[in-house]
């Protein structure tokens, strides 16, 4: 067990990639509880997703689950692409607010991290916040996803779990196997999740080396997973505005609002940290509306509250 001192450094919220893990954890909650060391995979208990928007100043956890067998515990998940220095402090805050809404429940928290860069060793952790009064303790578990054995996922029969192989302890042969299974399934959403998660771990050259000329990974499909990296590179070389416009054009050509939303969240994280996690962004479904919000709002406005108002105004049209 390790003790973490409080940190005030905020590195932003993982968007949109952590949303993929949230969706999978809703569809395969039992597997995540097993990976977190909470329940046996064959435990005779049903799970129900709870409202993830807990009380307090605009706090939304990544996942909150409760068993239906009368057990007095709740399990809270956070998904991170990289380990944020302030994660222990954030977990402490989440647990405190969840407890206020559920005073009779025990709160168990697990943080799943995708990328090893800067990540501490996994296992149970203890965070102590404060030195006199109040002194707040929070226990949680860190799971390093690349250390999880992918073999049961790759050879299993749950398609919702297959995309996770991209960020687990997978061999090249296993990665090829799961790619073939996903392609044969013909489910566009699962395929898209797999490609997106591959982009968190592998560059194009390494992926081409592993998968070869697999039809699923043509240049046209691969570019969606790396559209953000491409736009950032172009932004450095040609100027931020030109790079963003080119990235948006890629999204428009592909007919994917998700591309424009990824770019918008990335720019918000750079200019106004925290606003990239506003739930109102998910309501904006048209690429043109996202483009207008980015170019005429986020990039031109310098006041945080004005940007918040612009986002809410844009989202209101879809409600």
């Amino acid at each position: 067990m390790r003790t973490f001192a409080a940190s005030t450094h905020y590195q932003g919220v993982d968007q949109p990639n952590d949303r993929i893990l949230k969706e999978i954890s809703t569809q395969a909650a039992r597997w995540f509880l097993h990976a977190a060391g909470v329940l046996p995979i064959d435990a005779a208990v049903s799970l129900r997703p709870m409202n993830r928007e807990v009380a307090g100043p605009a706090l939304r956890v990544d996942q909150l689950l409760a068993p239906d067998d009368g057990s007095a515990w709740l399990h809270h998940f956070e998904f991170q692409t990289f380990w944020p220095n302030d994660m222990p402090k954030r977990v402490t805050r989440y647990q405190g607010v969840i407890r206020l809404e559920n005073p009779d429940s025990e709160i168990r928290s697990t943080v799943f991290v995708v990328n090893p860069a800067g990540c501490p060793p996994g296992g149970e952790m203890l965070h102590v916040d404060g030195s006199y009064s109040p002194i707040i303790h929070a226990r949680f578990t860190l799971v390093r996803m690349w250390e999880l054995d992918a073999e049961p996922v790759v050879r299993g029969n749950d398609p919702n779990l297959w995309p996770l192989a991209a960020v687990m302890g997978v061999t090249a042969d296993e990665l090829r196997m799961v790619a073939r299974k996903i392609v044969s399934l013909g489910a566009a959403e699962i395929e898209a999740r797999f490609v997106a998660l591959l982009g968190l771990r592998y560059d194009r050259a390494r992926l081409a080396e592993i998968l070869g000329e697999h039809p699923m990974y043509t240049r046209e499909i691969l570019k969606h997973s790396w559209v953000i990296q491409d736009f950032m590179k172009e932004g450095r070389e040609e100027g931020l505005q030109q790079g963003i416009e080119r990235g948006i054009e890629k999204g428009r050509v592909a007919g994917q609002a998700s591309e424009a939303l990824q770019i918008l969240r990335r720019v918000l994280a750079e200019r106004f940290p925290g606003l990239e996690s506003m739930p109102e962004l998910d309501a904006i479904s048209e690429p043109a509306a996202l483009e207008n919000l980015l170019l005429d709002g986020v990039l031109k406005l310098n006041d945080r509250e004005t940007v918040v108002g612009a986002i809410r105004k844009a989202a209101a049209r879809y409600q």
Side-chain angles (χ1 to χ4, degrees):
M1 182 186 301
R2 290 164 299 287
T3 301
F4 284 79
S7 170
T8 58
H9 181 64
Y10 178 72
Q11 294 186 345
V13 179
D14 292 312
Q15 294 286 354
N17 295 311
D18 66 334
R19 292 205 309 279
I20 295 172
L21 296 173
K22 297 174 196 174
E23 292 166 358
I24 298 175
S25 72
T26 297
Q27 297 162 340
R30 183 184 303 276
W31 182 90
F32 277 94
L33 289 174
H34 173 66
V38 176
L39 286 176
I41 194 66
D42 58 349
V45 58
S46 298
L47 299 163
R48 57 182 173 84
M50 298 182 64
N51 186 353
R52 295 186 290 109
E53 189 167 357
V54 297
L59 286 183
R60 181 183 290 269
V61 300
D62 285 349
Q63 187 61 273
L64 188 61
L65 298 167
D68 66 354
D69 62 355
S71 301
W73 61 266
L74 304 176
H75 208 93
H76 155 230
F77 296 141
E78 291 298 318
F79 302 108
Q80 298 289 323
T81 302
F82 294 93
W83 171 261
N85 291 337
D86 70 338
M87 196 72 242
K89 189 175 184 69
R90 286 162 54 187
V91 171
T92 302
R93 188 182 183 199
Y94 292 145
Q95 286 187 354
V97 175
I98 295 170
R99 173 57 69 86
L100 288 175
E101 289 196 345
N102 304 274
D104 297 326
S105 297
E106 294 292 330
I107 315 300
R108 302 177 183 177
S109 298
T110 302
V111 179
F112 290 88
V113 178
V114 170
N115 196 297
C119 187
E124 184 175 307
M125 298 183 174
L126 173 66
H127 172 64
V128 180
D129 198 352
S131 57
Y132 179 65
S133 180
I135 299 176
I136 303 172
H137 296 74
R139 297 180 187 275
F140 65 98
T141 301
L142 169 61
V143 174
R144 295 150 56 103
M145 295 199 69
W146 65 93
E147 294 180 344
L148 295 176
D149 180 12
E151 196 269 344
V153 169
V154 172
R155 300 186 184 277
N157 296 318
D158 188 348
N160 292 309
L161 289 175
W162 293 344
L164 293 176
V167 292
M168 295 175 67
V170 66
T171 66
D173 286 341
E174 288 172 333
L175 195 62
R176 284 189 285 268
M177 178 187 298
V178 78
R180 288 193 296 269
K181 292 174 70 171
I182 290 174
V183 169
S184 64
L185 184 67
E189 183 62 27
I190 290 177
E191 183 174 308
R193 291 174 182 175
F194 185 50
V195 171
L197 291 179
L198 283 170
L200 299 181
R201 183 170 182 180
Y202 304 97
D203 60 25
R204 298 188 193 198
R206 176 58 178 156
L207 193 56
E209 177 186 336
I210 294 173
L211 298 177
E213 297 300 320
H214 198 290
M216 177 180 173
Y217 303 101
T218 63
R219 179 182 297 274
E220 190 65 23
I221 294 176
L222 274 177
K223 75 178 183 183
H224 301 321
S225 185
W226 283 275
V227 66
I228 296 300
Q229 292 91 322
D230 287 347
F231 123 73
M232 290 295 285
K233 179 180 179 181
E234 289 161 2
R236 288 192 297 269
E237 293 176 351
E238 304 173 12
L240 180 62
Q241 185 77 12
Q242 294 93 327
I244 289 170
E245 290 175 349
R246 181 171 296 184
I248 290 174
E249 181 61 25
K250 288 181 180 179
R252 185 190 294 117
V253 170
Q256 297 289 333
S258 61
E259 312 294 356
L261 181 57
Q262 287 183 46
I263 295 170
L264 175 59
R265 289 187 187 277
R266 192 65 169 267
V267 176
L268 280 169
E270 293 291 331
R271 297 204 68 208
F272 304 98
L275 297 192
E276 74 277 10
S277 62
M278 286 184 64
E280 289 87 347
L281 292 171
D282 292 319
I284 308 173
S285 57
E286 297 179 1
L290 292 163
E291 176 181 346
N292 291 336
L293 178 59
L294 176 61
L295 298 179
D296 297 332
V298 177
L299 288 174
K300 291 183 178 180
L301 300 174
N302 295 315
D303 178 71
R304 185 183 182 89
E305 291 304 314
T306 305
V307 172
V308 169
I311 294 172
R312 288 175 176 166
K313 182 179 179 181
R317 300 170 187 161
Y318 299 87
Q319 296 175 349

